[in-house]
Amino acid sequence: MEVLKALDLDLLNDNQREAVNVFNGPLLIAAGPGSGKTRVIACRTANMIINNGIAPEEILLITFSKKAANEMQERIVGMIGELNLPFIGTFHSLCLRILRTYYFKLSLNKNFKIYDPADQIHLMQKIIHDVKDKSLRELLDRISVCKNNLLTPLEAPGEIQEAYRQYQSALKEENAVDFDDIIFKTYQLLNKFPEVLEKLSFKYLMVDEYQDTNKAQYEVLKLLAKRDKNICVIGDADQSIYAFRGANIRNFLNFGEDFTDLKLIKLEQNYRSSPQIIKGAEAVIEGNSDHMQRNLWTEKAEGRRVVLCNASNEKAEADYIIKTIQVYMGGISRYDIEADRVSDVASGYGFSDFAVLYRTHMQGKILEELFLKSGIPFQQIGAENFYNKSEIKDVLCYLRAVFDPSDETALLRIINKPVRGIGAVTIEKIRLYAKNLGIPFYQACQELDTLPLNDENKKSLAEFIKIFEEFRLMATKEKLSDLIKNICEKNQIFDLYKDKKRQDNIFGLLGFSVQFDLLPPFKGLENFIFETAFMQDKDIYDENKNAVTLLTLHASKGLEFPVVFIAGAEEGLIPYKHSEEVLMNEPEERRLFYVGMTRAKDELHIIHTNERNLFGENIKIELSRFVRDIPSEFLEKKEHVLKNRRKKSKNEDQLTIW
């Protein structure tokens, strides 16, 4: 008990210590960027268990990403040891656990499947034919908005009611739910069956990143907190950046309306950024009328002013970023021999200390191209969801089908991969046969004697069934990583995807699976499938990889780096415009830029260009209105023009010290 106090509680500042010691009643912790909110949540949890005798099973701790949940768990274990831990997870993982226990009350089947965005498109294609995937995605996005606002098909806008109704019917027929259903159905369960609420052991709730909750999540929280009212929410209204996913900043600002006798604690000391960065960022966010007044401060040294670089175009922008990193790392590649040095600053940085942030994935493409040419190692986050990549999806669908052969969507993806002679015509015959008999697709595949197929098709199908049944048997006996290795080997996955980057992705998935080897084989497979279903872009960020990180402003939330570059600080990008007439939610765009600025610890470089190639046309472009709000005393202004270099000989490869 005393060890905990000596190691952690005595190191907290006064406001943090107050937050750690308030357990009863509603508590709102307004935590500015870099103010140690993760430490506060971990210490508060440990303090409840060790010093105040609260049982771990009575504590519920909700985070907004799997990565954040893992980090939180590691911190708490470091404080209290390998004791019985409270539930620490995302909204989806909590609600899934509740649904898996009480599924029967909502007429769900026990082993219901979870459909990801690719599965949703596939299902919607069955309902609406001859429509482009983009239009189907837009329709699904509208249905998602309805679910996040707890609207049933009958309550949805008239033009999508029928599509929504058919989509839900198709999900039920497939024994599946989508991500939004997991929250929506949990709300329906808890609202309709109060006895379920009474059976839940949670008496103390903590919610991280509370400003990003949507209506459905908030209503679930209200139900969970209804009995004991011991709810602590922590976050920052100035970092609410997910309105496009249904997040409602009013949940944060109006929290006291639903929970009376609210206690408010502000965490204002910043432990991350230098004063110059904080002052610049605060000048930007004060432009929002819904900004919660506070006084962010830090004890860190004054540091360098925010660097504002005016580059001639997007290639010069990338060139400035690359040269700056090269100089700070202590070397210039041959590509830059004739170039002027950006600065003479020496540093002890590694590549992982640098991050390049941008508003759109489109900007990431040219940065990726020029980073490849420079030879600087980098990792790119969020360009494409890791778990939607073809090679990853193939392996996951094999695992899903092995776990549940009734998962027709997964089976249809893998049955002819690699090519086995089971084409679209054969598959359609099997599906029609299954439909006529009212049996699952895989059961129909196994009825080789009566299937209306020719001998060659039956032989191909028999070979698939043989190898598939081997995998099913292996799943009950072998550890998960060995199962994945066998699936990749026997299905020639590495021959199918010969690109090294794709193969590295598969190895990355294999590495992630190792942690599930500690569970009994089939249980490990089950947990792996459910864990990967909810993984987000930032969950695959490897902080131990010695590489520069390229990522969107949205994906940067929750991360920090010694040196941050924000590219494209221009009107039309920051804030973002869909078209000349349509500007995105300006207050949220301002918050997004604020999030990007406050990722920086030591240095922040903001780059804007004079012109940029957008949609195949060079367009003159203006400095972002947000940057114009930063007082000049916090800025160090530079210009960077891309110089013409001597043309390399045909056989001359670029040399790099990296």
Side-chain angles (χ1 to χ4, degrees):
M1 190 179 301
E2 293 303 317
V3 173
L4 176 71
K5 289 181 179 178
L7 286 177
D8 292 290
L9 300 189
D10 287 347
L11 296 178
L12 301 176
N13 64 43
D14 291 342
N15 287 6
Q16 289 176 332
R17 191 177 298 108
E18 183 183 8
V20 163
N21 283 299
V22 174
F23 309 131
N24 298 315
L27 171 65
L28 174 63
I29 303 175
S35 60
K37 69 181 179 66
T38 304
R39 174 194 282 187
V40 166
I41 296 172
C43 286
R44 190 173 188 270
T45 305
N47 193 26
M48 292 168 78
I49 295 170
I50 300 285
N51 294 338
N52 291 274
I54 295 173
E57 60 269 19
E58 294 179 337
I59 301 170
L60 170 63
L61 206 170
I62 298 176
T63 66
F64 267 76
S65 71
K66 176 64 178 172
K67 182 177 184 295
N70 289 340
E71 290 174 354
M72 191 69 69
Q73 182 165 313
E74 287 176 11
R75 288 212 189 191
I76 293 171
V77 167
M79 294 177 186
I80 68 175
E82 295 288 345
L83 298 175
N84 182 27
L85 290 173
F87 178 91
I88 306 170
T90 63
F91 267 106
H92 283 98
S93 60
L94 168 68
C95 291
L96 182 61
R97 175 183 284 197
I98 294 172
L99 285 182
R100 288 287 180 204
T101 305
Y102 297 101
Y103 62 92
F104 54 90
K105 287 184 176 288
L106 294 178
S107 301
L108 285 170
N109 291 326
K110 182 177 183 180
N111 293 319
F112 59 81
K113 298 179 282 290
I114 302 168
Y115 272 13
D116 65 17
D119 298 326
Q120 291 177 276
I121 290 287
H122 180 79
L123 185 63
M124 194 59 91
Q125 286 170 337
K126 296 181 184 178
I127 301 168
I128 303 175
H129 306 288
D130 303 320
V131 176
K132 291 182 179 179
D133 285 359
K134 183 180 179 183
S135 298
L136 293 178
R137 184 71 263 164
E138 290 171 353
L139 176 57
L140 285 165
D141 286 343
R142 293 193 66 188
I143 291 173
S144 176
V145 170
C146 289
K147 292 183 179 184
N148 287 334
N149 285 288
L150 302 177
L151 299 178
T152 65
L154 285 175
E155 298 166 320
E159 65 272 18
I160 68 167
Q161 278 189 3
E162 183 58 19
Y164 185 3
R165 185 193 65 77
Q166 289 187 45
Y167 172 66
Q168 289 305 111
S169 295
L171 280 172
K172 186 173 183 179
E173 190 176 323
E174 297 280 337
N175 186 32
V177 298
D178 61 24
F179 293 166
D180 299 316
D181 281 329
I182 292 171
I183 310 293
F184 194 172
K185 288 184 180 296
T186 301
Y187 167 76
Q188 292 173 323
L189 174 72
L190 299 179
N191 190 49
K192 189 174 181 180
F193 302 100
E195 66 271 19
V196 173
L197 272 173
E198 288 301 315
K199 289 179 181 178
L200 297 178
S201 62
F202 309 124
K203 294 182 180 179
Y204 299 88
L205 279 63
M206 279 185 278
V207 186
D208 191 15
E209 302 289 5
Y210 175 69
Q211 75 280 348
D212 291 327
T213 53
N214 60 36
K215 178 179 175 62
Q217 292 165 335
Y218 183 47
E219 292 299 326
V220 168
L221 278 178
K222 283 166 64 176
L223 288 169
L224 290 170
K226 184 177 181 180
R227 182 185 62 200
D228 301 295
K229 296 183 174 56
N230 299 323
I231 179 170
C232 166
V233 297
I234 185 166
D236 181 5
D238 290 336
Q239 296 185 66
S240 179
I241 59 172
Y242 290 114
F244 67 95
R245 292 183 186 171
N248 188 349
I249 191 174
R250 309 318 302 181
N251 291 346
F252 188 96
L253 298 175
N254 300 336
F255 184 66
E257 294 181 8
D258 287 310
F259 293 93
T260 55
D261 300 323
L262 173 71
K263 184 172 183 62
L264 170 65
I265 298 175
K266 294 182 180 181
L267 303 184
E268 298 175 312
Q269 183 174 356
N270 183 293
Y271 294 90
R272 177 188 299 152
S273 304
S274 69
Q276 300 280 13
I277 294 170
I278 291 173
K279 291 171 186 174
E282 287 297 289
V284 169
I285 202 60
E286 283 172 2
N288 272 357
S289 60
D290 57 10
H291 167 60
M292 180 179 282
Q293 292 303 312
R294 63 189 176 201
N295 179 33
L296 278 190
W297 61 280
T298 181
E299 293 180 344
K300 292 186 72 172
E302 194 67 15
R304 187 178 185 179
R305 287 181 293 173
V306 175
V307 179
L308 178 61
C309 178
N310 177 209
S312 52
N313 55 35
E314 66 266 34
K315 288 190 176 180
E317 173 182 66
D319 187 66
Y320 170 78
I321 294 168
I322 287 167
K323 281 182 181 158
T324 303
I325 293 171
Q326 287 173 329
V327 170
Y328 279 30
M329 288 298 294
I332 298 292
S333 70
R334 182 172 179 178
Y335 184 71
D336 290 322
I337 284 176
E338 298 173 8
D340 295 331
R341 293 172 70 84
V342 178
S343 70
D344 294 318
V345 177
S347 76
Y349 294 137
F351 287 116
S352 60
D353 293 322
F354 299 91
V356 185
L357 279 49
Y358 39 85
R359 179 61 179 85
T360 69
H361 294 306
M362 174 182 64
Q363 295 169 263
K365 291 180 180 178
I366 189 167
L367 287 164
E368 179 185 16
E369 176 187 332
L370 294 177
F371 263 84
L372 281 168
K373 287 181 179 178
S374 75
I376 292 176
F378 68 94
Q379 59 176 325
Q380 192 166 18
I381 308 300
E384 178 188 357
N385 187 295
F386 180 79
Y387 292 93
N388 280 337
K389 294 179 185 291
S390 294
E391 63 277 16
I392 300 301
K393 192 75 176 168
D394 286 349
V395 177
L396 289 178
C397 280
Y398 266 106
L399 294 171
R400 278 172 45 183
V402 166
F403 175 70
D404 180 10
S406 70
D407 189 339
E408 183 177 330
T409 302
L411 272 170
L412 290 177
R413 184 180 181 97
I414 64 164
I415 196 168
N416 200 39
K417 190 173 279 192
V419 176
R420 317 176 202 271
I422 308 174
V425 175
T426 302
I427 289 171
E428 193 53 39
K429 287 179 180 178
I430 300 170
R431 291 182 71 178
L432 184 60
Y433 178 88
K435 185 177 181 181
N436 289 337
L437 292 182
I439 60 176
F441 179 81
Y442 185 62
Q443 185 179 334
C445 289
Q446 293 174 302
E447 298 193 1
L448 293 170
D449 292 338
T450 52
L451 271 172
L453 303 176
N454 61 40
D455 290 343
E456 188 175 342
N457 290 149
K458 287 183 178 180
K459 181 181 177 183
S460 298
L461 194 55
E463 289 173 354
F464 168 74
I465 292 170
K466 181 176 181 293
I467 191 172
F468 184 69
E469 288 298 323
E470 287 177 9
F471 294 145
R472 291 187 66 196
L473 179 62
M474 189 180 300
T476 65
K477 295 182 176 181
E478 304 290 337
K479 58 187 181 182
L480 178 63
S481 60
D482 286 341
L483 173 64
I484 295 175
K485 289 174 189 174
N486 273 278
I487 286 173
C488 291
E489 181 182 337
K490 293 190 177 181
N491 289 291
Q492 298 140 32
I493 299 292
F494 287 107
D495 290 332
L496 189 62
Y497 297 104
K498 294 183 178 179
D499 179 77
K500 184 180 182 300
K501 193 172 181 180
R502 289 182 176 275
Q503 291 183 351
D504 286 344
N505 289 335
I506 297 171
F507 282 123
L509 184 72
L510 186 60
F512 176 69
S513 74
V514 171
Q515 62 185 289
F516 298 88
D517 288 347
L518 300 174
L519 297 171
F522 205 71
K523 190 67 177 175
L525 172 60
E526 179 183 27
N527 284 17
F528 178 80
I529 289 170
F530 294 142
E531 288 284 353
T532 53
F534 300 126
M535 296 293 268
Q536 302 175 26
D537 293 338
K538 65 182 65 178
D539 291 326
I540 63 167
Y541 163 65
D542 185 357
E543 60 189 15
N544 296 315
K545 188 173 184 178
N546 190 25
V548 177
T549 304
L550 310 183
L551 71 171
T552 63
L553 286 163
H554 279 101
S556 73
K557 179 77 182 300
L559 302 177
E560 61 181 28
F561 305 89
V563 181
V564 168
F565 301 88
I566 300 180
E570 304 137 11
E571 290 291 308
L573 287 175
I574 300 174
Y576 185 71
K577 274 189 177 181
H578 277 304
S579 65
E580 204 54 46
E581 296 79 28
V582 183
L583 175 69
M584 293 285 281
N585 180 332
E586 183 172 340
E588 176 148 321
E589 289 290 303
R590 186 180 289 272
R591 292 194 292 269
L592 182 60
F593 187 55
Y594 176 75
V595 165
M597 294 180 73
T598 55
R599 300 310 93 197
K601 297 168 74 173
D602 303 335
E603 289 193 16
L604 173 62
H605 297 249
I606 299 173
I607 310 103
H608 68 103
T609 64
N610 297 325
E611 66 176 23
R612 185 177 294 273
N613 190 293
L614 296 172
F615 310 109
E617 183 180 355
N618 284 329
I619 298 173
K620 296 289 183 183
I621 204 157
E622 295 180 11
L623 177 65
S624 167
R625 65 191 73 179
F626 302 154
V627 178
R628 294 198 295 267
D629 287 341
I630 304 174
S632 58
E633 62 261 33
F634 304 138
L635 294 174
E636 175 187 328
K637 295 184 179 180
K638 292 189 166 204
E639 290 190 3
H640 190 76
V641 178
L642 187 62
K643 294 186 177 181
N644 292 325
R645 314 189 194 289
R646 67 178 180 83
K647 190 174 181 180
K648 294 194 293 181
S649 66
K650 194 171 185 179
N651 297 321
E652 183 182 2
D653 291 326
Q654 165 152 354
L655 300 178
T656 173
I657 66 170
W658 316 122

